[in-house]
Amino acid sequence: MGDYGLLSDRHSAALVSRTGAVDWLCFPRFDSAAVFAALLDDRAGTWTIRPRGPADSTRAYVGDSMVLRTTFTTPTGTLALTDALATGPGDDPHRLGAHAPHVLIRSVTCTAGTADITVTCRPRPEYGLVAPLLTVCDGGVLARGGPAVLALTSPVPLDADGEEATGTATLRAGDTLSFALHWAPLGGPEPRVWGQDELAAELAHTLAAWEAWSRTHQAYTGPWKEQVHRSGRVLQALSYQPTGAVVAAPTTSLPEDPGGVRNWDYRYAWVRDAAFTMDALWVAACPDEADEFFSFMAAAAASGWSRAHLQIVYGVGGEHDLTERELPHLAGWAASRPVRVGNDAWRQPQLDVYGELLDTAARFEEQLRSRPPLCAFLAGLADAAAEAWREPDHGIWEIRGEPRHFLYSKLMCWVALDRAVRLAGSLTGDGDGDGDGGGGGGGGGGDRLGVGGRAERWRAARDEVRDAILAHGWNPAVGAYTQSFGADDLDASALMLSLTGFLPADDPRVLATVDAVDARLTDARGLVRRYRTAAGVDGLAGEEGSFLLCTFWLAQAQALAGRADRARAVFERAAAHANDLGLLAEQVHPRTGEPLGNFPQAFSHIGLVNAAWAIARAEGTAG
């Protein structure tokens, strides 16, 4: 899966292989049924533009954009294939993709010599269930079947007699041919065949729009600048412009265990992942997107601001019901079944989400001014954390086993209450008063949440949570903070004790936990596992790979502890698993090094950004 590059118009996403195959495309949203899904089954649709005969390929994103260019070198000439999801009209970099026309553009240019190309387009809407009727039209092919109509623009004649449209062409130096696939809903305005000049202009505009966003949003100048900026663009590419939602990944069912059952749909807006994304964009980009994100969260949870109504994941349009189902007609990546759409994690109680949202709010506290409904929403989260922190839950890793008293869930309830107290302005000075904490938004400055005396109740609950973690989270026999109260198993999420400011990074208990994770949860490659699946905590069969986010957490914890050299080494090990385009998967196979899980993964790019920032600060090179 590391063979693929990502395209995005901030509505939907496509994955393009280095051989010129679009093997994944969802229109008109990230979570829509795929038009091309050869990623999960060769029969489920693809669109290839490639040289005829043998060719070597290299590729890169064009400038500071998400426009992909693949260069093919053949025995007779060189071709440059430029791919983009059109972002549409509009010159405001703060609203990138606001008017995306749902068009995939593919433009091929012969830059030297001559070369033959072959074009094969085999759309299969509804994840391969529909084989649409193809009819040749002036300038291309129309595909009708299922809930949409597709218009394929082709400047070369195509044969559409069977279930696919095919054609060939010869290009000479200086020749350019532009193709496009335009989606439209059945019963709406018809999609159309585009002119060559129109496509050239649309492609140029999309490139300029991405570069304008990068130019106005990305100011980080510390170490690994290019990787941080690339990660920032990937996170922006995974955001849904109409609502401000952020998807965890643009794909479904890419396996964590090849041939196994750990295959999930990640095309939704997890509260946790989206909050982490906002934090990373604070480093990698400017905070404009935070306004959209908070507005989305408040609207998505608008059925009631009690904990009973705050789900841990929503659809990108704010949908609540994400009921999971299987697609038995698909073989799955590397025969990994089942292929799933939807995600039943929406039903789970996960107490950490209160902390992640309030921690992000504290970072972007200026966005709270003059927004009473949002402040009421955040105050309700703090109330929920104060009420629910004693309960067991399914934890950050969304286990499908029995609920437990997970350390990380308790920790993030503490974070929720700590940040709420700070935002309310009930404490002054360092905002903590006990010398043990640190992170989060500022203290003082008035009652930002407009909650009056409720802040004292939050403070009392915060101290109770803290006492419980100190009393029950530490396992003296293990010599570390463990996965859950009373457990012997390690969990990489314990690294967040210092990252959240719960304990100082040089506290002996924190250092012991960091060293325990480093020694006992790392694989032979030096990458960190979330936990040991053999313990059975997650209720699933099989194993999983090492987790890149957790590896970046280790680098960040080492940096905060003043161990900059160790932090750099860990960072480099994790970052080395990006593909040639700088894209990171969720996990890495501990033996083969192959990428695992949905791709590219927001969590991994978030981890890279935050670890780079922590190391820059530790070395005094942050910029």
Side-chain angles (χ1 to χ4, degrees):
M1 63 194 68
D3 183 57
Y4 288 94
L6 171 70
L7 307 178
S8 170
D9 57 6
R10 298 193 65 215
H11 290 248
S12 50
L15 293 187
V16 187
S17 77
R18 66 176 68 249
T19 62
V22 179
D23 287 340
W24 184 256
L25 173 64
C26 295
F27 272 147
R29 303 191 341 173
F30 291 107
D31 56 356
S32 297
V35 173
F36 302 127
L39 190 71
L40 299 175
D41 192 310
D42 288 341
R43 302 164 298 175
T46 186
W47 182 15
T48 63
I49 299 178
R50 59 175 55 131
R52 191 174 184 179
D56 296 324
S57 67
T58 59
R59 58 188 180 166
Y61 285 110
V62 182
D64 295 329
S65 79
M66 296 300 295
V67 175
L68 179 63
R69 180 164 295 152
T70 304
T71 300
F72 296 101
T73 302
T74 77
T76 61
T78 304
L79 295 168
L81 174 63
T82 304
D83 291 319
L85 281 169
T87 56
D91 297 321
D92 183 354
H94 304 304
R95 302 189 70 233
L96 175 65
H99 304 289
H102 309 308
V103 174
L104 171 59
I105 301 173
R106 314 197 72 190
S107 181
V108 60
T109 298
C110 183
T111 58
T114 63
D116 297 332
I117 63 166
T118 64
V119 180
T120 302
C121 186
R122 189 170 66 251
R124 290 292 181 272
E126 297 288 291
Y127 304 105
L129 281 176
V130 176
L133 176 65
L134 305 181
T135 56
V136 175
C137 64
D138 186 18
V141 171
L142 290 176
R144 297 180 184 276
V149 182
L150 301 166
L152 174 63
T153 297
S154 176
V156 302
L158 297 178
D159 179 0
D161 288 341
E163 295 183 344
E164 61 187 20
T166 61
T168 62
T170 299
L171 284 80
R172 294 173 175 80
D175 289 346
T176 295
L177 298 175
S178 294
F179 301 79
L181 187 72
H182 188 186
W183 176 96
L186 187 66
E190 286 278 297
R192 64 186 181 89
V193 169
W194 292 54
Q196 292 294 291
D197 290 344
E198 282 185 296
L199 290 176
E202 192 70 33
L203 183 59
H205 173 80
T206 297
L207 174 59
W210 273 107
E211 291 198 312
W213 182 87
S214 297
R215 187 169 55 253
T216 57
H217 286 67
Q218 298 195 298
Y220 175 83
T221 59
W224 304 290
K225 173 184 171 182
E226 292 306 314
Q227 291 97 318
V228 169
H229 284 190
R230 170 61 63 210
S231 291
R233 287 192 288 276
V234 171
L235 294 174
Q236 177 73 348
L238 296 178
S239 65
Y240 183 61
Q241 197 282 332
T243 64
V246 181
V247 298
T251 57
T252 180
S253 300
L254 295 182
E256 300 169 6
D257 180 21
V261 300
R262 297 171 181 262
N263 320 313
W264 315 109
D265 192 348
Y266 276 9
R267 299 171 299 155
Y268 305 110
W270 269 261
V271 173
R272 175 191 308 112
D273 301 48
F276 284 164
T277 297
M278 291 302 106
D279 294 342
L281 284 174
W282 183 84
V283 174
C286 82
D288 292 334
E289 285 71 21
D291 262 339
E292 296 176 356
F293 166 68
F294 284 122
S295 295
F296 168 75
M297 283 310 312
S303 62
W305 290 332
S306 70
R307 64 187 178 92
H309 294 285
L310 180 63
Q311 294 181 187
I312 60 94
V313 59
Y314 296 93
V316 296
E319 296 85 359
H320 287 221
D321 187 345
L322 305 179
T323 298
E324 192 174 290
R325 62 188 177 94
E326 298 179 4
L327 302 180
H329 66 283
L330 294 178
W333 175 279
S336 303
R337 284 177 164 168
V339 172
R340 296 181 171 97
V341 294
N343 198 304
D344 276 345
W346 74 277
R347 306 176 190 273
Q348 289 187 354
Q350 296 175 24
L351 303 181
D352 60 292
V353 293
Y354 307 121
E356 281 121 8
L357 268 178
L358 277 158
D359 192 40
T360 299
R363 187 182 292 273
F364 293 99
E365 62 181 78
E366 289 303 314
Q367 269 81 349
L368 305 182
R369 298 185 184 279
S370 303
R371 298 187 66 179
L374 177 56
C375 290
F377 170 57
L378 295 171
L381 298 182
D383 288 338
E387 179 184 349
W389 73 267
R390 295 181 181 84
E391 300 176 7
D393 73 337
H394 290 269
I396 180 176
W397 308 129
E398 299 180 354
I399 64 159
R400 300 211 170 187
E402 291 299 314
R404 301 191 181 194
H405 291 280
F406 287 105
L407 173 75
Y408 180 80
S409 298
K410 310 302 183 190
L411 172 64
M412 296 311 291
C413 284
W414 176 88
V415 169
L417 296 162
D418 180 71
R419 305 315 191 248
V421 167
R422 291 166 183 266
L423 286 168
S426 63
L427 298 177
T428 58
D430 68 2
D432 192 283
D434 55 17
D436 287 320
D447 181 0
R448 291 189 181 91
L449 294 186
V451 295
R454 290 160 73 185
E456 289 306 315
R457 191 162 69 250
W458 297 339
R459 181 180 182 182
R462 180 194 66 173
D463 294 343
E464 290 179 15
V465 180
R466 179 180 181 79
D467 291 344
I469 292 173
L470 295 175
H472 305 295
W474 174 262
N475 187 320
V478 177
Y481 281 95
T482 53
Q483 185 177 66
S484 58
F485 286 3
D488 296 329
D489 304 308
L490 292 173
D491 192 302
S493 62
L495 295 169
M496 293 294 288
L497 286 162
S498 61
L499 274 54
T500 60
F502 179 83
L503 286 172
D506 59 355
D507 183 284
R509 295 162 294 183
V510 169
L511 294 176
T513 301
V514 170
D515 291 341
V517 169
D518 194 11
R520 292 179 244 167
L521 276 186
T522 53
D523 64 18
R525 298 173 178 273
L527 304 179
V528 178
R529 297 178 183 271
R530 296 188 289 183
Y531 51 86
R532 296 285 180 182
T533 57
V537 65
D538 58 24
L540 296 167
E543 301 180 354
E544 65 173 17
S546 301
F547 214 76
L548 288 174
L549 172 66
C550 296
T551 308
F552 285 120
W553 279 350
L554 177 60
Q556 192 175 352
Q558 297 281 31
L560 291 177
R563 301 168 168 180
D565 289 344
R566 293 192 201 180
R568 273 188 166 268
V570 174
F571 182 98
E572 294 285 4
R573 285 199 295 270
H577 288 276
N579 72 2
D580 56 316
L581 296 172
L583 304 180
L584 292 163
E586 179 184 35
Q587 302 179 22
V588 173
H589 196 292
R591 292 183 295 278
T592 67
E594 68 178 302
L596 298 174
N598 285 300
F599 179 86
Q601 174 70 257
F603 254 174
S604 300
H605 287 279
I606 290 163
L608 183 150
V609 170
N610 289 334
W613 176 246
I615 294 169
R617 285 183 294 173
E619 296 176 341
T621 57

